[in-house]
Amino acid sequence: MDKMLFVGNWKSHKSKQEGELFFHELAGKIASINLAVQDIVIAPPFTFLDQASRLIAERKLPVTLCGQNVSSFPEGAYTGEINARQLKEVAEFVIVGHSERRRYLHESETDIENKVRESKEAGLTVIQCIQNEYDRVFSGTEIVAYEPPSAIGTGNVDTNENIEEVFAVVKKNNPHVRLMYGGSVAPTNIKALKEISNIGGFLIGGASLDVDSFLSLLN
Ligand code: PGA
């Protein structure tokens, strides 16, 4: 069986110094985690990715890095964009189609489809976020994170029954994807969420910003 993935999505949080403190604290506490059954992935801001990849190598941390976004274009004249080949230098995973980007940055289905294709071509593993069972899952996506917007950052975690229903539809149409859940995952509800059938991991926002709360989700 695949290991359970715990993906910490820091969103637009933490300076480089705060990121470094997090990694040092993590290094001191990681021995308490059973990594035979679970994997740690962290998606920090772009500004910290390079430093994070050095810290991981230096301290031999069992942590894999993830981009929170990627350009929908290949390399070229696209001011401000970080393309998939550049991201692959510092990360193995990428989050595509997060509802905050759909909402605040007006990301379209075409943008998301292009991001998945670019990422796949560069060798990144795509975690594509969907908001409900009707959102399209694009070819090249290996992991689907179901994240109902009403559950993100609100404390209103979705019910296991709803999550299982969405998973069933996604799995029927995309038999090979791994399924994750995200939205108010916290130390108080993780035990129940782990009971969801077919659950392959969690995308964690707020609770991933603090080492103790993040690690308490894993144990
Ligand atoms: P949350 O965010 O855990 O703070 O609800 C999850 C996400 O948006 O990935």
Side-chain angles (χ1 to χ4, degrees):
M1 208 185 103
D2 281 335
K3 291 189 194 179
M4 191 88 92
L5 274 185
F6 289 81
V7 183
N9 174 14
W10 287 2
K11 308 190 180 186
S12 193
H13 289 284
K14 292 195 194 290
S15 64
K16 292 199 290 178
Q17 198 188 4
E18 288 159 353
E20 192 165 334
L21 276 174
F22 179 100
F23 271 73
H24 285 311
E25 193 182 336
L26 185 72
K29 294 180 172 169
I30 208 155
S32 63
I33 301 299
N34 176 5
L35 293 166
V37 293
Q38 49 204 351
D39 274 329
I40 298 177
V41 178
I42 293 182
F46 282 130
T47 47
F48 182 62
L49 270 173
D50 187 48
Q51 198 176 336
S53 74
R54 280 169 222 235
L55 283 170
I56 288 169
E58 270 166 34
R59 310 209 46 167
K60 297 191 175 40
L61 289 174
V63 173
T64 311
L65 291 173
C66 178
Q68 296 178 17
N69 179 40
V70 69
S71 176
S72 56
F73 299 102
E75 185 156 348
Y78 304 102
T79 301
E81 291 298 293
I82 291 171
N83 68 54
R85 190 172 71 95
Q86 294 168 324
L87 181 60
K88 183 66 175 71
E89 292 183 310
V90 282
E92 293 300 322
F93 292 82
V94 61
I95 298 168
V96 171
H98 193 284
S99 64
E100 286 156 7
R101 297 200 58 84
R102 296 182 198 240
R103 180 172 172 202
Y104 301 118
L105 286 306
H106 312 294
E107 226 168 62
S108 70
E109 292 284 286
T110 308
D111 296 330
I112 295 167
E113 183 170 21
N114 290 338
K115 288 175 185 214
V116 173
R117 190 196 56 247
E118 288 296 321
S119 299
K120 182 75 184 162
E121 276 175 21
L124 289 159
T125 299
V126 175
I127 303 174
Q128 195 203 317
C129 299
I130 58 163
Q131 304 173 93
N132 53 51
E133 63 272 48
Y134 307 112
D135 273 341
R136 279 179 64 198
V137 173
F138 294 104
S139 160
T141 292
E142 285 160 70
I143 303 171
V144 172
Y146 165 52
E147 292 212 316
S150 62
I152 296 178
T154 58
N156 297 325
V157 68
D158 204 356
T159 63
N160 285 17
E161 293 70 34
N162 275 347
I163 298 168
E164 284 174 355
E165 275 175 33
V166 173
F167 278 9
V169 175
V170 175
K171 200 74 180 166
K172 187 161 167 271
N173 300 331
N174 312 273
H176 303 299
V177 298
R178 180 202 284 240
L179 296 164
M180 294 182 24
Y181 169 77
S184 294
V185 175
T188 47
N189 56 34
I190 189 71
K191 194 162 181 279
L193 290 168
K194 284 179 180 169
E195 301 294 320
I196 295 164
S197 63
N198 261 326
I199 188 85
F202 297 96
L203 189 50
I204 304 139
S208 74
L209 295 172
D210 173 76
V211 172
D212 287 331
S213 92
F214 187 49
L215 291 185
S216 75
L217 301 175
L218 283 92
N219 273 341

PDB file of all heavy atoms in Angstrom, residues 7-9 11 95 98-100 129 145 147-148 151-155 181-186 203-208, ligand 1:
ATOM      1  N   VAL A   7       0.614  16.752   3.212  1.00  0.00           N
ATOM      2  CA  VAL A   7       1.153  17.884   2.466  1.00  0.00           C
ATOM      3  C   VAL A   7       0.805  19.183   3.196  1.00  0.00           C
ATOM      4  O   VAL A   7      -0.369  19.548   3.314  1.00  0.00           O
ATOM      5  CB  VAL A   7       0.576  17.928   1.033  1.00  0.00           C
ATOM      6  CG1 VAL A   7       1.207  19.071   0.244  1.00  0.00           C
ATOM      7  CG2 VAL A   7       0.786  16.590   0.320  1.00  0.00           C
ATOM      8  N   GLY A   8       1.830  19.847   3.707  1.00  0.00           N
ATOM      9  CA  GLY A   8       1.622  21.126   4.400  1.00  0.00           C
ATOM     10  C   GLY A   8       1.680  22.265   3.395  1.00  0.00           C
ATOM     11  O   GLY A   8       2.708  22.479   2.749  1.00  0.00           O
ATOM     12  N   ASN A   9       0.564  22.969   3.243  1.00  0.00           N
ATOM     13  CA  ASN A   9       0.475  24.085   2.305  1.00  0.00           C
ATOM     14  C   ASN A   9       0.564  25.384   3.109  1.00  0.00           C
ATOM     15  O   ASN A   9      -0.408  25.776   3.753  1.00  0.00           O
ATOM     16  CB  ASN A   9      -0.857  23.991   1.549  1.00  0.00           C
ATOM     17  CG  ASN A   9      -1.122  25.188   0.657  1.00  0.00           C
ATOM     18  OD1 ASN A   9      -0.216  25.983   0.385  1.00  0.00           O
ATOM     19  ND2 ASN A   9      -2.363  25.323   0.201  1.00  0.00           N
ATOM     20  N   LYS A  11       0.762  28.344   2.069  1.00  0.00           N
ATOM     21  CA  LYS A  11       0.120  29.499   1.417  1.00  0.00           C
ATOM     22  C   LYS A  11       1.064  30.708   1.487  1.00  0.00           C
ATOM     23  O   LYS A  11       2.279  30.535   1.408  1.00  0.00           O
ATOM     24  CB  LYS A  11      -1.247  29.774   2.049  1.00  0.00           C
ATOM     25  CG  LYS A  11      -2.109  28.516   2.088  1.00  0.00           C
ATOM     26  CD  LYS A  11      -3.530  28.749   2.459  1.00  0.00           C
ATOM     27  CE  LYS A  11      -4.273  27.414   2.462  1.00  0.00           C
ATOM     28  NZ  LYS A  11      -5.720  27.585   2.686  1.00  0.00           N
ATOM     29  N   ILE A  95       1.139  21.851  -6.468  1.00  0.00           N
ATOM     30  CA  ILE A  95      -0.315  21.979  -6.273  1.00  0.00           C
ATOM     31  C   ILE A  95      -0.860  22.812  -7.437  1.00  0.00           C
ATOM     32  O   ILE A  95      -0.345  23.890  -7.723  1.00  0.00           O
ATOM     33  CB  ILE A  95      -0.630  22.697  -4.940  1.00  0.00           C
ATOM     34  CG1 ILE A  95      -0.098  21.900  -3.746  1.00  0.00           C
ATOM     35  CG2 ILE A  95      -2.139  22.938  -4.801  1.00  0.00           C
ATOM     36  CD1 ILE A  95      -0.119  22.678  -2.422  1.00  0.00           C
ATOM     37  N   HIS A  98      -5.739  25.213  -6.918  1.00  0.00           N
ATOM     38  CA  HIS A  98      -6.285  25.472  -5.579  1.00  0.00           C
ATOM     39  C   HIS A  98      -7.443  26.473  -5.685  1.00  0.00           C
ATOM     40  O   HIS A  98      -7.377  27.424  -6.471  1.00  0.00           O
ATOM     41  CB  HIS A  98      -5.183  26.019  -4.669  1.00  0.00           C
ATOM     42  CG  HIS A  98      -5.564  26.007  -3.227  1.00  0.00           C
ATOM     43  ND1 HIS A  98      -6.426  26.930  -2.688  1.00  0.00           N
ATOM     44  CD2 HIS A  98      -5.237  25.164  -2.217  1.00  0.00           C
ATOM     45  CE1 HIS A  98      -6.604  26.667  -1.400  1.00  0.00           C
ATOM     46  NE2 HIS A  98      -5.888  25.595  -1.092  1.00  0.00           N
ATOM     47  N   SER A  99      -8.468  26.293  -4.866  1.00  0.00           N
ATOM     48  CA  SER A  99      -9.659  27.151  -4.998  1.00  0.00           C
ATOM     49  C   SER A  99      -9.345  28.624  -4.713  1.00  0.00           C
ATOM     50  O   SER A  99     -10.014  29.508  -5.240  1.00  0.00           O
ATOM     51  CB  SER A  99     -10.782  26.660  -4.088  1.00  0.00           C
ATOM     52  OG  SER A  99     -10.394  26.777  -2.752  1.00  0.00           O
ATOM     53  N   GLU A 100      -8.324  28.885  -3.880  1.00  0.00           N
ATOM     54  CA  GLU A 100      -7.964  30.292  -3.636  1.00  0.00           C
ATOM     55  C   GLU A 100      -7.418  30.931  -4.911  1.00  0.00           C
ATOM     56  O   GLU A 100      -7.650  32.115  -5.164  1.00  0.00           O
ATOM     57  CB  GLU A 100      -6.942  30.377  -2.489  1.00  0.00           C
ATOM     58  CG  GLU A 100      -7.613  30.116  -1.147  1.00  0.00           C
ATOM     59  CD  GLU A 100      -6.684  29.614  -0.058  1.00  0.00           C
ATOM     60  OE1 GLU A 100      -5.454  29.570  -0.260  1.00  0.00           O
ATOM     61  OE2 GLU A 100      -7.203  29.229   1.014  1.00  0.00           O
ATOM     62  N   CYS A 129      -6.226  20.161  -7.245  1.00  0.00           N
ATOM     63  CA  CYS A 129      -7.330  20.392  -6.315  1.00  0.00           C
ATOM     64  C   CYS A 129      -8.649  20.458  -7.081  1.00  0.00           C
ATOM     65  O   CYS A 129      -8.731  21.084  -8.143  1.00  0.00           O
ATOM     66  CB  CYS A 129      -7.138  21.707  -5.573  1.00  0.00           C
ATOM     67  SG  CYS A 129      -5.651  21.764  -4.586  1.00  0.00           S
ATOM     68  N   ALA A 145      -6.798  16.268  -4.870  1.00  0.00           N
ATOM     69  CA  ALA A 145      -7.153  16.695  -3.517  1.00  0.00           C
ATOM     70  C   ALA A 145      -8.542  17.319  -3.565  1.00  0.00           C
ATOM     71  O   ALA A 145      -8.731  18.365  -4.202  1.00  0.00           O
ATOM     72  CB  ALA A 145      -6.127  17.698  -2.995  1.00  0.00           C
ATOM     73  N   GLU A 147     -11.092  19.517  -2.043  1.00  0.00           N
ATOM     74  CA  GLU A 147     -11.071  20.598  -1.054  1.00  0.00           C
ATOM     75  C   GLU A 147     -12.322  21.452  -1.228  1.00  0.00           C
ATOM     76  O   GLU A 147     -12.321  22.407  -2.012  1.00  0.00           O
ATOM     77  CB  GLU A 147      -9.842  21.489  -1.283  1.00  0.00           C
ATOM     78  CG  GLU A 147      -8.535  20.806  -0.984  1.00  0.00           C
ATOM     79  CD  GLU A 147      -7.516  21.816  -0.458  1.00  0.00           C
ATOM     80  OE1 GLU A 147      -7.409  22.912  -1.019  1.00  0.00           O
ATOM     81  OE2 GLU A 147      -6.876  21.510   0.543  1.00  0.00           O
ATOM     82  N   PRO A 148     -13.391  21.145  -0.510  1.00  0.00           N
ATOM     83  CA  PRO A 148     -14.588  21.974  -0.625  1.00  0.00           C
ATOM     84  C   PRO A 148     -14.305  23.373  -0.077  1.00  0.00           C
ATOM     85  O   PRO A 148     -13.825  23.494   1.062  1.00  0.00           O
ATOM     86  CB  PRO A 148     -15.623  21.239   0.242  1.00  0.00           C
ATOM     87  CG  PRO A 148     -14.840  20.328   1.120  1.00  0.00           C
ATOM     88  CD  PRO A 148     -13.525  20.051   0.466  1.00  0.00           C
ATOM     89  N   ALA A 151     -14.944  24.418   3.452  1.00  0.00           N
ATOM     90  CA  ALA A 151     -14.173  23.801   4.545  1.00  0.00           C
ATOM     91  C   ALA A 151     -12.798  24.434   4.707  1.00  0.00           C
ATOM     92  O   ALA A 151     -12.121  24.192   5.703  1.00  0.00           O
ATOM     93  CB  ALA A 151     -14.008  22.301   4.284  1.00  0.00           C
ATOM     94  N   ILE A 152     -12.386  25.249   3.747  1.00  0.00           N
ATOM     95  CA  ILE A 152     -11.011  25.767   3.784  1.00  0.00           C
ATOM     96  C   ILE A 152     -10.894  26.933   4.766  1.00  0.00           C
ATOM     97  O   ILE A 152     -11.554  27.960   4.606  1.00  0.00           O
ATOM     98  CB  ILE A 152     -10.529  26.180   2.379  1.00  0.00           C
ATOM     99  CG1 ILE A 152     -10.474  24.938   1.478  1.00  0.00           C
ATOM    100  CG2 ILE A 152      -9.156  26.844   2.457  1.00  0.00           C
ATOM    101  CD1 ILE A 152     -10.061  25.215   0.055  1.00  0.00           C
ATOM    102  N   GLY A 153     -10.081  26.711   5.786  1.00  0.00           N
ATOM    103  CA  GLY A 153      -9.802  27.769   6.756  1.00  0.00           C
ATOM    104  C   GLY A 153     -10.976  28.154   7.640  1.00  0.00           C
ATOM    105  O   GLY A 153     -10.939  29.187   8.301  1.00  0.00           O
ATOM    106  N   THR A 154     -12.028  27.340   7.657  1.00  0.00           N
ATOM    107  CA  THR A 154     -13.238  27.725   8.385  1.00  0.00           C
ATOM    108  C   THR A 154     -13.477  26.898   9.643  1.00  0.00           C
ATOM    109  O   THR A 154     -14.308  27.260  10.474  1.00  0.00           O
ATOM    110  CB  THR A 154     -14.484  27.523   7.488  1.00  0.00           C
ATOM    111  OG1 THR A 154     -14.515  26.135   7.091  1.00  0.00           O
ATOM    112  CG2 THR A 154     -14.436  28.408   6.265  1.00  0.00           C
ATOM    113  N   GLY A 155     -12.822  25.767   9.751  1.00  0.00           N
ATOM    114  CA  GLY A 155     -13.125  24.851  10.849  1.00  0.00           C
ATOM    115  C   GLY A 155     -14.290  23.928  10.518  1.00  0.00           C
ATOM    116  O   GLY A 155     -14.590  23.008  11.285  1.00  0.00           O
ATOM    117  N   TYR A 181      -7.743  14.559   0.898  1.00  0.00           N
ATOM    118  CA  TYR A 181      -8.752  15.519   1.356  1.00  0.00           C
ATOM    119  C   TYR A 181      -8.041  16.728   1.955  1.00  0.00           C
ATOM    120  O   TYR A 181      -7.005  16.584   2.614  1.00  0.00           O
ATOM    121  CB  TYR A 181      -9.682  14.904   2.418  1.00  0.00           C
ATOM    122  CG  TYR A 181     -10.534  15.974   3.078  1.00  0.00           C
ATOM    123  CD1 TYR A 181     -11.642  16.492   2.411  1.00  0.00           C
ATOM    124  CD2 TYR A 181     -10.183  16.521   4.313  1.00  0.00           C
ATOM    125  CE1 TYR A 181     -12.385  17.526   2.971  1.00  0.00           C
ATOM    126  CE2 TYR A 181     -10.924  17.549   4.885  1.00  0.00           C
ATOM    127  CZ  TYR A 181     -12.021  18.048   4.202  1.00  0.00           C
ATOM    128  OH  TYR A 181     -12.754  19.077   4.747  1.00  0.00           O
ATOM    129  N   GLY A 182      -8.634  17.917   1.777  1.00  0.00           N
ATOM    130  CA  GLY A 182      -8.128  19.129   2.424  1.00  0.00           C
ATOM    131  C   GLY A 182      -9.268  20.041   2.812  1.00  0.00           C
ATOM    132  O   GLY A 182     -10.309  20.083   2.145  1.00  0.00           O
ATOM    133  N   GLY A 183      -9.064  20.793   3.879  1.00  0.00           N
ATOM    134  CA  GLY A 183     -10.083  21.733   4.367  1.00  0.00           C
ATOM    135  C   GLY A 183     -10.276  21.549   5.848  1.00  0.00           C
ATOM    136  O   GLY A 183     -10.958  20.622   6.275  1.00  0.00           O
ATOM    137  N   SER A 184      -9.618  22.435   6.641  1.00  0.00           N
ATOM    138  CA  SER A 184      -9.739  22.413   8.103  1.00  0.00           C
ATOM    139  C   SER A 184      -9.296  21.101   8.749  1.00  0.00           C
ATOM    140  O   SER A 184      -9.815  20.717   9.803  1.00  0.00           O
ATOM    141  CB  SER A 184     -11.167  22.760   8.534  1.00  0.00           C
ATOM    142  OG  SER A 184     -11.470  24.092   8.193  1.00  0.00           O
ATOM    143  N   VAL A 185      -8.349  20.420   8.114  1.00  0.00           N
ATOM    144  CA  VAL A 185      -7.768  19.242   8.767  1.00  0.00           C
ATOM    145  C   VAL A 185      -6.990  19.741   9.993  1.00  0.00           C
ATOM    146  O   VAL A 185      -6.212  20.691   9.896  1.00  0.00           O
ATOM    147  CB  VAL A 185      -6.806  18.497   7.803  1.00  0.00           C
ATOM    148  CG1 VAL A 185      -6.113  17.343   8.517  1.00  0.00           C
ATOM    149  CG2 VAL A 185      -7.569  18.000   6.578  1.00  0.00           C
ATOM    150  N   ALA A 186      -7.239  19.128  11.136  1.00  0.00           N
ATOM    151  CA  ALA A 186      -6.661  19.623  12.397  1.00  0.00           C
ATOM    152  C   ALA A 186      -6.419  18.454  13.346  1.00  0.00           C
ATOM    153  O   ALA A 186      -6.993  17.377  13.156  1.00  0.00           O
ATOM    154  CB  ALA A 186      -7.628  20.619  13.041  1.00  0.00           C
ATOM    155  N   LEU A 203      -4.233  17.454   2.521  1.00  0.00           N
ATOM    156  CA  LEU A 203      -3.644  18.750   2.203  1.00  0.00           C
ATOM    157  C   LEU A 203      -4.009  19.673   3.368  1.00  0.00           C
ATOM    158  O   LEU A 203      -5.189  19.880   3.657  1.00  0.00           O
ATOM    159  CB  LEU A 203      -4.210  19.254   0.876  1.00  0.00           C
ATOM    160  CG  LEU A 203      -3.593  20.497   0.239  1.00  0.00           C
ATOM    161  CD1 LEU A 203      -2.080  20.416   0.159  1.00  0.00           C
ATOM    162  CD2 LEU A 203      -4.152  20.677  -1.172  1.00  0.00           C
ATOM    163  N   ILE A 204      -2.976  20.193   4.028  1.00  0.00           N
ATOM    164  CA  ILE A 204      -3.178  20.858   5.308  1.00  0.00           C
ATOM    165  C   ILE A 204      -2.672  22.295   5.237  1.00  0.00           C
ATOM    166  O   ILE A 204      -1.496  22.522   4.934  1.00  0.00           O
ATOM    167  CB  ILE A 204      -2.416  20.080   6.410  1.00  0.00           C
ATOM    168  CG1 ILE A 204      -2.872  18.620   6.428  1.00  0.00           C
ATOM    169  CG2 ILE A 204      -2.606  20.733   7.768  1.00  0.00           C
ATOM    170  CD1 ILE A 204      -1.734  17.645   6.627  1.00  0.00           C
ATOM    171  N   GLY A 205      -3.552  23.239   5.506  1.00  0.00           N
ATOM    172  CA  GLY A 205      -3.158  24.653   5.490  1.00  0.00           C
ATOM    173  C   GLY A 205      -2.752  25.106   6.880  1.00  0.00           C
ATOM    174  O   GLY A 205      -1.638  24.867   7.332  1.00  0.00           O
ATOM    175  N   GLY A 206      -3.685  25.731   7.601  1.00  0.00           N
ATOM    176  CA  GLY A 206      -3.409  26.335   8.905  1.00  0.00           C
ATOM    177  C   GLY A 206      -2.645  25.442   9.863  1.00  0.00           C
ATOM    178  O   GLY A 206      -1.685  25.896  10.500  1.00  0.00           O
ATOM    179  N   ALA A 207      -3.038  24.180   9.961  1.00  0.00           N
ATOM    180  CA  ALA A 207      -2.417  23.284  10.947  1.00  0.00           C
ATOM    181  C   ALA A 207      -1.013  22.848  10.552  1.00  0.00           C
ATOM    182  O   ALA A 207      -0.341  22.160  11.325  1.00  0.00           O
ATOM    183  CB  ALA A 207      -3.308  22.057  11.174  1.00  0.00           C
ATOM    184  N   SER A 208      -0.542  23.249   9.348  1.00  0.00           N
ATOM    185  CA  SER A 208       0.817  22.853   8.947  1.00  0.00           C
ATOM    186  C   SER A 208       1.842  23.932   9.272  1.00  0.00           C
ATOM    187  O   SER A 208       3.040  23.740   9.061  1.00  0.00           O
ATOM    188  CB  SER A 208       0.865  22.555   7.444  1.00  0.00           C
ATOM    189  OG  SER A 208       0.805  23.752   6.685  1.00  0.00           O
TER     190      SER A 208
HETATM  191  P1  PGA B   1      -6.859  24.744   5.764  1.00  0.00           P
HETATM  192  O1  PGA B   1      -6.398  24.891   4.227  1.00  0.00           O
HETATM  193  O2  PGA B   1      -6.266  23.460   6.274  1.00  0.00           O
HETATM  194  O3  PGA B   1      -6.301  25.965   6.441  1.00  0.00           O
HETATM  195  O4  PGA B   1      -8.345  24.702   5.776  1.00  0.00           O
HETATM  196  C1  PGA B   1      -6.330  23.767   3.396  1.00  0.00           C
HETATM  197  C2  PGA B   1      -5.934  24.169   1.994  1.00  0.00           C
HETATM  198  O5  PGA B   1      -6.457  25.183   1.503  1.00  0.00           O
HETATM  199  O6  PGA B   1      -5.091  23.524   1.355  1.00  0.00           O
END
